[in-house]
Amino acid sequence: MAAQDPLARGIYAISVAAELVGMGQQNLRLYERRGLLEPGRTGGGTRQYSENDLTTLRRIADLLADGLNLVGIRLVLELEAENKALQQKLARRPRAAGR
């Protein structure tokens, strides 16, 4: 079994996550409903936010401050994730000989 990224492990309850990023709990629920992030869940359905989720929430706050709406933010987050995946794919690709 591969080791899970420790930054992806959900450890914060919604109240703690909201306090850490300076947002209201309702905002976090809204961002989840709008597909901006997907926190982990316990067996009982309680949200558990990870360090990666907190980073995403801070990015959302920055984009809101820049004047983007939630639809625009979702597109930016999707493009950033796609860009990161492509960069990782290129980094794993063997280099051609003679270049």
Side-chain angles (χ1 to χ4, degrees):
M1 184 170 133
Q4 181 183 2
D5 177 3
L7 297 178
R9 190 172 138 250
I11 55 174
Y12 302 109
I14 191 169
S15 59
V16 175
E19 185 175 334
L20 288 171
V21 297
M23 295 178 175
Q25 294 179 33
Q26 289 298 335
N27 290 358
L28 275 62
R29 291 183 187 101
L30 172 65
Y31 302 152
E32 182 182 356
R33 281 194 309 271
R34 297 290 178 94
L36 301 180
L37 78 157
E38 189 176 341
R41 298 277 182 158
T42 65
T46 301
R47 291 171 178 86
Q48 290 187 312
Y49 291 85
S50 68
E51 288 295 332
N52 288 343
D53 293 327
L54 298 183
T55 299
T56 299
L57 289 166
R58 290 181 184 109
R59 181 69 175 131
I60 290 168
D62 290 343
L63 293 169
L64 284 168
D66 288 341
L68 272 71
N69 63 23
L70 296 183
V71 173
I73 291 171
R74 187 178 66 227
L75 292 173
V76 167
L77 294 176
E78 289 171 357
L79 288 171
E80 288 176 345
E82 184 178 328
N83 187 28
K84 181 178 179 181
L86 288 171
Q87 288 177 348
Q88 290 172 345
K89 185 177 178 179
L90 284 173
R92 290 189 305 265
R93 194 169 142 194
R95 300 204 183 255
R99 286 192 179 175

mmCIF file of all heavy atoms in Angstrom, residues 3-4 12 18 23-24 26 28 35-36 41 46 48-49 52 57 59 65 70 72 79-81 86-88 90 97:
data_model
loop_
_atom_site.group_PDB
_atom_site.id
_atom_site.type_symbol
_atom_site.label_atom_id
_atom_site.label_comp_id
_atom_site.label_asym_id
_atom_site.label_seq_id
_atom_site.Cartn_x
_atom_site.Cartn_y
_atom_site.Cartn_z
ATOM 1 N N ALA A 3 2.118 5.028 0.618
ATOM 2 C CA ALA A 3 1.946 5.972 1.720
ATOM 3 C C ALA A 3 1.098 7.152 1.262
ATOM 4 O O ALA A 3 1.326 7.702 0.193
ATOM 5 C CB ALA A 3 3.303 6.461 2.211
ATOM 6 N N GLN A 4 0.131 7.504 2.076
ATOM 7 C CA GLN A 4 -0.742 8.630 1.752
ATOM 8 C C GLN A 4 -0.009 9.941 2.029
ATOM 9 O O GLN A 4 0.758 10.048 2.975
ATOM 10 C CB GLN A 4 -2.015 8.557 2.586
ATOM 11 C CG GLN A 4 -2.984 9.672 2.281
ATOM 12 C CD GLN A 4 -4.210 9.630 3.171
ATOM 13 O OE1 GLN A 4 -4.335 8.806 4.036
ATOM 14 N NE2 GLN A 4 -5.115 10.549 2.946
ATOM 15 N N TYR A 12 -8.832 18.298 10.530
ATOM 16 C CA TYR A 12 -9.489 19.441 11.168
ATOM 17 C C TYR A 12 -10.998 19.385 10.989
ATOM 18 O O TYR A 12 -11.498 19.187 9.887
ATOM 19 C CB TYR A 12 -8.997 20.759 10.559
ATOM 20 C CG TYR A 12 -7.503 20.966 10.662
ATOM 21 C CD1 TYR A 12 -6.698 20.898 9.532
ATOM 22 C CD2 TYR A 12 -6.906 21.235 11.882
ATOM 23 C CE1 TYR A 12 -5.330 21.092 9.615
ATOM 24 C CE2 TYR A 12 -5.530 21.433 11.986
ATOM 25 C CZ TYR A 12 -4.752 21.357 10.845
ATOM 26 O OH TYR A 12 -3.402 21.544 10.926
ATOM 27 N N ALA A 18 -12.333 26.564 9.648
ATOM 28 C CA ALA A 18 -12.864 27.910 9.416
ATOM 29 C C ALA A 18 -12.064 28.955 10.195
ATOM 30 O O ALA A 18 -11.732 30.016 9.666
ATOM 31 C CB ALA A 18 -14.334 27.965 9.798
ATOM 32 N N MET A 23 -12.483 32.198 7.860
ATOM 33 C CA MET A 23 -13.749 32.187 7.117
ATOM 34 C C MET A 23 -14.844 31.622 8.014
ATOM 35 O O MET A 23 -14.556 30.960 9.009
ATOM 36 C CB MET A 23 -13.649 31.289 5.880
ATOM 37 C CG MET A 23 -12.687 31.737 4.833
ATOM 38 S SD MET A 23 -12.663 30.524 3.491
ATOM 39 C CE MET A 23 -11.588 31.360 2.349
ATOM 40 N N GLY A 24 -16.075 31.866 7.618
ATOM 41 C CA GLY A 24 -17.195 31.280 8.334
ATOM 42 C C GLY A 24 -17.446 29.848 7.888
ATOM 43 O O GLY A 24 -17.135 29.469 6.760
ATOM 44 N N GLN A 26 -20.216 28.492 7.175
ATOM 45 C CA GLN A 26 -21.165 28.464 6.056
ATOM 46 C C GLN A 26 -20.436 28.656 4.726
ATOM 47 O O GLN A 26 -20.818 28.066 3.711
ATOM 48 C CB GLN A 26 -22.247 29.535 6.232
ATOM 49 C CG GLN A 26 -23.223 29.237 7.340
ATOM 50 C CD GLN A 26 -24.023 27.958 7.106
ATOM 51 O OE1 GLN A 26 -24.210 27.517 5.978
ATOM 52 N NE2 GLN A 26 -24.465 27.340 8.185
ATOM 53 N N LEU A 28 -17.392 27.634 4.038
ATOM 54 C CA LEU A 28 -16.753 26.360 3.718
ATOM 55 C C LEU A 28 -17.764 25.381 3.132
ATOM 56 O O LEU A 28 -17.476 24.686 2.151
ATOM 57 C CB LEU A 28 -16.084 25.766 4.954
ATOM 58 C CG LEU A 28 -14.673 26.266 5.250
ATOM 59 C CD1 LEU A 28 -14.611 27.750 5.515
ATOM 60 C CD2 LEU A 28 -14.060 25.493 6.392
ATOM 61 N N GLY A 35 -18.299 22.854 -5.524
ATOM 62 C CA GLY A 35 -17.267 22.021 -6.115
ATOM 63 C C GLY A 35 -15.861 22.591 -6.063
ATOM 64 O O GLY A 35 -14.995 22.179 -6.824
ATOM 65 N N LEU A 36 -15.620 23.537 -5.151
ATOM 66 C CA LEU A 36 -14.295 24.143 -5.054
ATOM 67 C C LEU A 36 -13.327 23.295 -4.239
ATOM 68 O O LEU A 36 -12.118 23.429 -4.386
ATOM 69 C CB LEU A 36 -14.393 25.544 -4.458
ATOM 70 C CG LEU A 36 -15.275 26.533 -5.218
ATOM 71 C CD1 LEU A 36 -15.286 27.874 -4.531
ATOM 72 C CD2 LEU A 36 -14.816 26.659 -6.657
ATOM 73 N N ARG A 41 -14.375 12.746 4.829
ATOM 74 C CA ARG A 41 -15.510 12.516 5.729
ATOM 75 C C ARG A 41 -15.196 11.338 6.649
ATOM 76 O O ARG A 41 -14.536 10.385 6.238
ATOM 77 C CB ARG A 41 -16.779 12.172 4.935
ATOM 78 C CG ARG A 41 -17.286 13.240 3.993
ATOM 79 C CD ARG A 41 -18.111 14.251 4.727
ATOM 80 N NE ARG A 41 -18.637 15.236 3.799
ATOM 81 C CZ ARG A 41 -19.692 15.970 4.034
ATOM 82 N NH1 ARG A 41 -20.360 15.836 5.160
ATOM 83 N NH2 ARG A 41 -20.092 16.869 3.170
ATOM 84 N N THR A 46 -18.977 13.332 9.104
ATOM 85 C CA THR A 46 -18.430 14.609 9.551
ATOM 86 C C THR A 46 -17.275 15.030 8.644
ATOM 87 O O THR A 46 -16.404 14.233 8.313
ATOM 88 C CB THR A 46 -17.909 14.486 11.004
ATOM 89 O OG1 THR A 46 -18.996 14.077 11.833
ATOM 90 C CG2 THR A 46 -17.347 15.804 11.509
ATOM 91 N N GLN A 48 -13.814 16.477 7.428
ATOM 92 C CA GLN A 48 -12.468 16.562 7.989
ATOM 93 C C GLN A 48 -11.580 17.241 6.960
ATOM 94 O O GLN A 48 -11.340 16.707 5.883
ATOM 95 C CB GLN A 48 -11.921 15.174 8.319
ATOM 96 C CG GLN A 48 -12.610 14.526 9.491
ATOM 97 C CD GLN A 48 -11.924 13.244 9.887
ATOM 98 O OE1 GLN A 48 -11.625 12.410 9.042
ATOM 99 N NE2 GLN A 48 -11.684 13.085 11.175
ATOM 100 N N TYR A 49 -11.083 18.422 7.301
ATOM 101 C CA TYR A 49 -10.279 19.221 6.386
ATOM 102 C C TYR A 49 -8.797 18.916 6.577
ATOM 103 O O TYR A 49 -8.311 18.778 7.699
ATOM 104 C CB TYR A 49 -10.544 20.710 6.619
ATOM 105 C CG TYR A 49 -11.933 21.105 6.199
ATOM 106 C CD1 TYR A 49 -13.012 20.953 7.059
ATOM 107 C CD2 TYR A 49 -12.178 21.613 4.931
ATOM 108 C CE1 TYR A 49 -14.296 21.301 6.664
ATOM 109 C CE2 TYR A 49 -13.456 21.966 4.532
ATOM 110 C CZ TYR A 49 -14.507 21.799 5.399
ATOM 111 O OH TYR A 49 -15.776 22.134 5.014
ATOM 112 N N ASN A 52 -4.033 20.396 2.742
ATOM 113 C CA ASN A 52 -4.284 20.750 1.335
ATOM 114 C C ASN A 52 -5.587 21.524 1.189
ATOM 115 O O ASN A 52 -5.666 22.478 0.409
ATOM 116 C CB ASN A 52 -4.312 19.498 0.462
ATOM 117 C CG ASN A 52 -2.951 18.874 0.264
ATOM 118 O OD1 ASN A 52 -1.926 19.502 0.502
ATOM 119 N ND2 ASN A 52 -2.932 17.630 -0.156
ATOM 120 N N LEU A 57 -8.523 26.706 0.502
ATOM 121 C CA LEU A 57 -9.381 27.750 1.066
ATOM 122 C C LEU A 57 -8.675 29.111 1.080
ATOM 123 O O LEU A 57 -9.296 30.136 0.780
ATOM 124 C CB LEU A 57 -9.839 27.362 2.473
ATOM 125 C CG LEU A 57 -10.858 26.228 2.521
ATOM 126 C CD1 LEU A 57 -10.984 25.677 3.934
ATOM 127 C CD2 LEU A 57 -12.212 26.699 1.993
ATOM 128 N N ARG A 59 -6.381 29.981 -1.051
ATOM 129 C CA ARG A 59 -6.331 30.379 -2.474
ATOM 130 C C ARG A 59 -7.676 30.970 -2.887
ATOM 131 O O ARG A 59 -7.724 31.971 -3.607
ATOM 132 C CB ARG A 59 -5.957 29.170 -3.340
ATOM 133 C CG ARG A 59 -5.853 29.471 -4.812
ATOM 134 C CD ARG A 59 -4.651 30.349 -5.114
ATOM 135 N NE ARG A 59 -4.511 30.516 -6.556
ATOM 136 C CZ ARG A 59 -4.334 31.690 -7.145
ATOM 137 N NH1 ARG A 59 -4.221 32.786 -6.436
ATOM 138 N NH2 ARG A 59 -4.249 31.771 -8.455
ATOM 139 N N ALA A 65 -10.602 38.061 -3.190
ATOM 140 C CA ALA A 65 -10.068 39.414 -2.975
ATOM 141 C C ALA A 65 -9.664 40.068 -4.293
ATOM 142 O O ALA A 65 -9.717 41.295 -4.423
ATOM 143 C CB ALA A 65 -8.877 39.365 -2.023
ATOM 144 N N LEU A 70 -17.354 32.782 -7.773
ATOM 145 C CA LEU A 70 -17.103 31.374 -7.482
ATOM 146 C C LEU A 70 -16.949 30.524 -8.737
ATOM 147 O O LEU A 70 -16.167 29.574 -8.747
ATOM 148 C CB LEU A 70 -18.201 30.818 -6.570
ATOM 149 C CG LEU A 70 -18.267 31.442 -5.174
ATOM 150 C CD1 LEU A 70 -19.343 30.767 -4.330
ATOM 151 C CD2 LEU A 70 -16.925 31.394 -4.476
ATOM 152 N N GLY A 72 -15.628 31.572 -11.585
ATOM 153 C CA GLY A 72 -14.273 31.873 -12.046
ATOM 154 C C GLY A 72 -13.226 31.195 -11.182
ATOM 155 O O GLY A 72 -12.220 30.684 -11.694
ATOM 156 N N LEU A 79 -7.789 24.695 -13.607
ATOM 157 C CA LEU A 79 -6.639 24.923 -14.489
ATOM 158 C C LEU A 79 -5.323 24.777 -13.736
ATOM 159 O O LEU A 79 -4.353 24.214 -14.263
ATOM 160 C CB LEU A 79 -6.737 26.297 -15.146
ATOM 161 C CG LEU A 79 -7.807 26.434 -16.223
ATOM 162 C CD1 LEU A 79 -7.966 27.896 -16.637
ATOM 163 C CD2 LEU A 79 -7.477 25.563 -17.424
ATOM 164 N N GLU A 80 -5.280 25.257 -12.511
ATOM 165 C CA GLU A 80 -4.059 25.110 -11.716
ATOM 166 C C GLU A 80 -3.761 23.638 -11.427
ATOM 167 O O GLU A 80 -2.608 23.203 -11.491
ATOM 168 C CB GLU A 80 -4.168 25.910 -10.414
ATOM 169 C CG GLU A 80 -4.082 27.398 -10.625
ATOM 170 C CD GLU A 80 -4.279 28.222 -9.367
ATOM 171 O OE1 GLU A 80 -4.767 27.702 -8.351
ATOM 172 O OE2 GLU A 80 -3.943 29.423 -9.412
ATOM 173 N N ALA A 81 -4.799 22.861 -11.127
ATOM 174 C CA ALA A 81 -4.609 21.430 -10.863
ATOM 175 C C ALA A 81 -4.147 20.705 -12.125
ATOM 176 O O ALA A 81 -3.257 19.853 -12.072
ATOM 177 C CB ALA A 81 -5.905 20.821 -10.343
ATOM 178 N N LEU A 86 0.263 18.180 -15.312
ATOM 179 C CA LEU A 86 1.087 18.147 -16.519
ATOM 180 C C LEU A 86 2.563 18.358 -16.194
ATOM 181 O O LEU A 86 3.437 17.700 -16.765
ATOM 182 C CB LEU A 86 0.606 19.195 -17.521
ATOM 183 C CG LEU A 86 -0.724 18.894 -18.207
ATOM 184 C CD1 LEU A 86 -1.197 20.110 -18.997
ATOM 185 C CD2 LEU A 86 -0.610 17.675 -19.097
ATOM 186 N N GLN A 87 2.854 19.261 -15.271
ATOM 187 C CA GLN A 87 4.237 19.491 -14.863
ATOM 188 C C GLN A 87 4.831 18.239 -14.229
ATOM 189 O O GLN A 87 5.986 17.886 -14.485
ATOM 190 C CB GLN A 87 4.326 20.676 -13.899
ATOM 191 C CG GLN A 87 4.106 22.006 -14.565
ATOM 192 C CD GLN A 87 4.118 23.162 -13.579
ATOM 193 O OE1 GLN A 87 4.083 22.971 -12.370
ATOM 194 N NE2 GLN A 87 4.165 24.371 -14.094
ATOM 195 N N GLN A 88 4.041 17.548 -13.406
ATOM 196 C CA GLN A 88 4.511 16.318 -12.770
ATOM 197 C C GLN A 88 4.741 15.227 -13.824
ATOM 198 O O GLN A 88 5.719 14.487 -13.742
ATOM 199 C CB GLN A 88 3.519 15.843 -11.711
ATOM 200 C CG GLN A 88 3.491 16.732 -10.500
ATOM 201 C CD GLN A 88 2.386 16.386 -9.530
ATOM 202 O OE1 GLN A 88 1.442 15.658 -9.852
ATOM 203 N NE2 GLN A 88 2.484 16.918 -8.319
ATOM 204 N N LEU A 90 5.536 15.703 -16.993
ATOM 205 C CA LEU A 90 6.748 16.059 -17.724
ATOM 206 C C LEU A 90 8.002 15.767 -16.906
ATOM 207 O O LEU A 90 9.026 15.344 -17.453
ATOM 208 C CB LEU A 90 6.723 17.531 -18.123
ATOM 209 C CG LEU A 90 5.832 17.894 -19.296
ATOM 210 C CD1 LEU A 90 5.782 19.404 -19.474
ATOM 211 C CD2 LEU A 90 6.317 17.218 -20.573
ATOM 212 N N ALA A 97 17.829 11.351 -25.644
ATOM 213 C CA ALA A 97 19.283 11.375 -25.745
ATOM 214 C C ALA A 97 19.720 12.445 -26.741
ATOM 215 O O ALA A 97 19.057 12.667 -27.747
ATOM 216 C CB ALA A 97 19.799 9.996 -26.194
#
